[in-house]
Amino acid sequence: MNLQHIRNATLLVEYAGKKFLIDPMLAEKGAYPPFPNSPRQDQNNPLVNLPTSIDHIIQDIDVVIVTHLHLDHWDDAAKESLPKEIKIFSQNEEDAIEIRNAGFKNVDVLQEDTVFEGIQLIKTKGEHGRGEILKAAGLVCGIVFKHVTEKTLYVAGDTVWYDAVQEVIDTHDPEIIVVNAGDNQFDEGGSLVMGKDDVYHMYKAAPNAKIIAVHMEAVNHWTLSRDELKNFANEKEFSSTVLVPDDGESYSF
Ligand SMILES: [Zn+2]
């Protein structure tokens, strides 16, 4: 497989000969106001430009997976750029309806037993925060990719560490794990995605996996920087298992 981290949660995955685009936020730097009641109210989103052109990103895509509809995962620029016939998987029927309302004609809901072109796509649970904030944050999902010719890939999505994430590790034993680890937060309510301790939990649960930390420093409410995560991984002696890509960086496994 080849994984290219684009920006925030936007990821290109080439897996068993098919090209997946996950969570496309394709706007230019500064196109949207900051998320309210959160750090950096003087900075618009996204905080940085795409590392490459939209045409390059969407070229030859076979399928799009949208883990949820928050702006930093599915935005107007993505809706305008993607061909309306492209295959899209959403996490549930509510999201599928919204995506269809934006003009897309080939939207299906991801299930726990979805097979796309011989590739198993297993919808996994996620929790977009802890406690009270969960209601406001809404539902999310992750995906496990499996194919006989490939390593098992787990894209955890916008989730904190909790028991269902442990269950995914126990059930599927993924060798490659992508975590959203910017520890994004509003002024109140705590972490919306993984922070450094969550990433450490992930490492403890899957010590032999490669963990790729994304969703960092791209939208205004981040609180964990790439450097801080790298330093933490050094201190805790798991830096050899954690990759912290720059925008545009890619890996083959
Ligand atoms: Zn997000």
Side-chain angles (χ1 to χ4, degrees):
M1 81 184 81
N2 190 76
L3 301 182
Q4 185 180 18
H5 169 56
I6 300 298
R7 178 185 61 187
N8 200 56
T10 307
L11 181 70
L12 282 174
V13 179
E14 289 177 54
Y15 194 90
K18 295 293 164 191
K19 201 166 172 188
F20 295 78
L21 173 63
I22 300 175
D23 284 352
M25 173 183 61
L26 301 180
E28 288 178 12
K29 176 181 173 179
Y32 311 119
F35 291 111
N37 307 312
S38 62
R40 303 183 193 82
Q41 287 302 302
D42 58 338
Q43 294 182 34
N44 282 352
N45 290 322
L47 301 180
V48 293
N49 272 317
L50 288 169
T52 180
S53 70
I54 290 181
D55 287 348
H56 184 81
I57 293 166
I58 68 172
Q59 195 178 18
D60 303 328
I61 293 293
D62 294 297
V63 57
V64 179
I65 301 176
V66 181
T67 63
H68 64 302
L69 300 183
H70 286 169
L71 180 75
D72 57 331
H73 296 254
W74 175 246
D75 74 345
D76 290 345
K79 292 171 206 169
E80 282 156 21
S81 315
L82 287 165
K84 294 296 183 284
E85 294 73 28
I86 198 158
K87 176 87 185 174
I88 300 182
F89 284 111
S90 68
Q91 63 164 335
N92 56 29
E93 189 56 29
E94 289 76 10
D95 284 12
I97 288 167
E98 276 205 44
I99 296 169
R100 287 184 199 117
N101 286 344
F104 292 91
K105 300 181 175 77
N106 193 2
V107 187
D108 275 337
V109 177
L110 202 59
Q111 309 290 346
E112 281 164 23
D113 59 355
T114 298
V115 178
F116 174 76
E117 303 274 352
I119 301 164
Q120 263 184 282
L121 299 174
I122 302 159
K123 182 169 72 173
T124 60
K125 292 176 185 162
E127 288 199 345
H128 203 341
R130 295 185 176 96
E132 275 295 294
I133 194 89
L134 263 179
K135 245 186 230 162
L139 298 174
V140 294
C141 77
I143 317 106
V144 170
F145 293 69
K146 283 189 183 181
H147 189 270
V148 284
T149 66
E150 295 278 14
K151 294 188 165 97
T152 297
L153 166 68
Y154 173 28
V155 177
D158 266 5
T159 186
V160 293
W161 172 267
Y162 75 117
D163 51 8
V165 175
Q166 175 78 57
E167 278 169 33
V168 174
I169 308 281
D170 294 342
T171 306
H172 300 292
D173 195 19
E175 292 156 283
I176 313 295
I177 302 172
V178 179
V179 294
N180 294 354
D183 202 358
N184 299 60
Q185 300 190 19
F186 292 106
D187 295 336
E188 290 178 34
S191 302
L192 294 161
V193 295
M194 291 197 186
K196 56 189 179 182
D197 290 326
D198 301 83
V199 179
Y200 190 55
H201 274 296
M202 187 66 98
Y203 158 68
K204 286 286 197 185
N208 300 317
K210 281 284 182 210
I211 298 171
I212 302 169
V214 301
H215 201 299
M216 305 191 79
E217 302 173 313
V219 283
N220 70 287
H221 56 339
W222 68 265
T223 70
L224 175 63
S225 70
R226 289 174 167 105
D227 279 350
E228 190 180 348
L229 178 60
K230 286 180 201 167
N231 290 337
F232 176 78
N234 272 330
E235 273 165 36
K236 295 282 189 184
E237 299 183 336
F238 70 110
S239 58
S240 61
T241 69
V242 178
L243 301 165
V244 187
D246 291 325
D247 292 347
E249 202 168 346
S250 59
Y251 309 103
S252 290
F253 299 102

